[in-house]
Amino acid sequence: MRPSFLSFSLLSDRIAAMAVKTSFSSSEFSQILARYDLGALLDFAPIAHGSVQTNFLLRTTQGRFVFRYYENRSPGSVSFESHLIQYLTDQHYPCPAVLLDRYGEALGVYREKPYLLFTFVEGEHLEQPDERQRRQLIQRVAQLQRITRDYQPVNKDERLNYTVENCRALARQQARRIGTANARQKLAWFERVLSRLSLPPSLPLGICHCDFHFSNILFKDGEFAALLDFDDANYTFLTYDLATLINPFLPTFDWHSWSDFQPGDNILDFSAARWTVREYERYRPLHPSEKQYLFDVFQLSIMFDCIWYFERGPASAFFEKRKIDALDAFGRDAFYLHLFG
């Protein structure tokens, strides 16, 4: 999970789950902390901001730390995340570091669910970052893809990697779950769109974060401090994060207003998307094939967004379909020229 890059997320309209789904007592946290050299527990408080996992801020005699309890992830999926973050911190990438216990292990299990402990990073979440701060985010996104280009992830198949095959499988799963004629019609459209995408195996792959909601970005004194929450990070096309940052549609065209636009109305505006691409390429120049197939990666990002909102709207007219239809009418070559020409 989409609104434009200016709101820092393509999934910010998703209804957020309660941030704390599992309660913990002070004695339980003391028991968990006994595995670490982090001092004695002083107090703790739930973190309610923007996550489907359970998060607590712990204060001990040695400082503040973040406890993340994974409600719906396998140990293998969390291991993917912990190894990735250890790699990123070794590369001096700005993100909270994973803490190791006395046995040198990052991954813990409590009540049969995995957890990680992180360093606490000071900062604030900005809903309306200025242009300089947007540039800083784009720089850090490009840096993430640059340093993970040759990274070999641990347990990558435990993650929902954003591929055409996984997108198709999820759509079929959603259609079966809903079980209506409308869901079956939407699935038929879904299959047609995915079958037209051109994404050759030679396209560069790496790690993408895939969730730039403002609550996942920290600024301190106006400067980029950290990228948080790698819960959706996965091994996919390196341009996937760039695709989620660009918005080649009118700023007034979103899921609240799309139905106000009549068939035939122009809904495309590449000015902000061009700016984002130029800024990104200052830090990671795109391979010619990445430019050629960015149209298809962008459509794939829309289709994944459609997964999260599969029940929204009739199959004949819904937000994601309107976007795909506009892009198809515009064409891959025109899309390329408007971004890179």
Side-chain angles (χ1 to χ4, degrees):
M1 293 168 198
R2 302 188 200 193
S4 73
F5 161 66
L6 296 181
S7 65
F8 276 79
S9 175
L10 296 184
L11 293 176
S12 64
D13 293 323
R14 190 188 304 176
I15 297 175
M18 289 289 290
V20 175
K21 297 180 178 178
T22 302
S23 298
F24 289 84
S25 67
S26 58
S27 61
E28 287 177 307
F29 276 134
S30 294
Q31 179 183 343
I32 290 169
L33 286 170
R35 294 174 55 88
Y36 300 82
D37 293 314
L38 300 176
L41 179 70
L42 295 176
D43 55 42
F44 62 93
I47 300 173
H49 214 40
S51 176
V52 297
Q53 312 302 346
T54 290
N55 299 277
F56 282 87
L57 177 62
L58 309 183
R59 190 169 68 93
T60 78
T61 52
Q62 292 190 17
R64 289 181 290 178
F65 309 95
V66 174
F67 172 83
R68 165 164 275 207
Y69 192 64
Y70 292 85
E71 303 284 0
N72 57 1
R73 296 287 184 263
S74 68
S77 175
V78 179
S79 180
F80 169 101
E81 184 173 337
S82 68
H83 281 86
L84 168 63
I85 291 175
Q86 289 178 75
Y87 172 79
L88 293 178
T89 52
D90 287 344
Q91 300 293 317
H92 308 291
Y93 188 81
C95 62
V98 174
L99 297 169
L100 304 181
D101 64 19
R102 291 195 179 106
Y103 310 99
E105 298 293 332
L107 178 67
V109 176
Y110 189 77
R111 297 189 204 164
E112 300 182 345
K113 291 184 180 180
Y115 69 84
L116 296 173
L117 275 170
F118 295 90
T119 55
F120 175 78
V121 179
E122 290 189 356
E124 59 179 338
H125 305 288
L126 302 179
E127 293 193 46
Q128 296 298 329
D130 60 27
E131 181 177 312
R132 181 168 169 273
Q133 290 155 348
R134 296 197 299 270
R135 289 180 188 274
Q136 291 177 26
L137 172 62
I138 295 170
Q139 175 187 356
R140 294 306 186 179
V141 172
Q143 181 188 6
L144 174 65
Q145 273 89 66
R146 191 177 69 244
I147 65 180
T148 62
R149 173 66 175 84
D150 298 315
Y151 171 69
Q152 298 300 313
V154 173
N155 295 329
K156 73 178 177 65
D157 292 335
E158 293 275 347
R159 281 275 161 148
L160 173 59
N161 300 307
Y162 286 177
T163 65
V164 171
E165 294 75 17
N166 283 341
C167 193
R168 179 180 291 111
L170 285 172
R172 291 173 177 174
Q173 192 178 92
Q174 287 281 58
R176 286 195 301 270
R177 179 184 63 83
I178 300 166
T180 63
N182 187 67
R184 290 190 291 273
Q185 292 167 13
K186 191 171 286 191
L187 176 62
W189 169 83
F190 214 102
E191 301 265 16
R192 289 194 298 271
V193 173
L194 291 180
S195 69
R196 296 198 303 263
L197 297 185
S198 182
L199 294 164
S202 59
L203 277 177
L205 301 173
I207 301 297
C208 287
H209 181 274
C210 299
D211 188 7
F212 298 115
H213 189 275
F214 73 90
S215 65
N216 292 333
I217 304 157
L218 278 180
F219 289 90
K220 185 178 181 182
D221 300 326
E223 300 294 321
F224 190 97
L227 182 60
L228 312 177
D229 193 353
F230 285 76
D231 195 32
D232 289 331
N234 65 87
Y235 191 69
T236 183
F237 304 104
L238 274 183
T239 50
Y240 195 96
D241 270 349
L242 175 60
T244 66
L245 291 179
I246 65 175
N247 179 34
F249 296 96
L250 292 169
T252 54
F253 178 86
D254 60 29
W255 79 274
H256 295 286
S257 65
W258 73 270
S259 58
D260 297 335
F261 290 80
Q262 300 301 312
D265 286 353
N266 175 51
I267 60 173
L268 293 169
D269 178 358
F270 282 82
S271 55
R274 276 195 300 270
W275 179 85
T276 301
V277 168
R278 285 197 301 267
E279 194 66 23
Y280 183 95
E281 285 207 275
R282 288 180 59 192
Y283 306 102
R284 191 182 84 85
L286 296 172
H287 187 273
S289 66
E290 293 182 298
K291 296 181 179 181
Q292 181 180 357
Y293 297 105
L294 184 57
F295 176 87
D296 302 270
V297 176
F298 184 69
Q299 287 206 342
L300 180 63
S301 75
I302 295 173
M303 300 307 285
F304 265 102
D305 197 34
C306 186
I307 292 291
W308 320 132
Y309 301 108
F310 205 88
E311 294 181 75
R312 186 171 68 187
S316 59
F318 56 97
F319 180 46
E320 293 80 16
K321 184 177 187 299
R322 182 69 183 274
K323 294 169 79 173
I324 293 291
D325 288 347
L327 290 168
D328 284 341
F330 196 69
R332 180 183 285 101
D333 292 342
F335 184 90
Y336 177 94
L337 288 173
H338 276 69
L339 283 182
F340 304 108

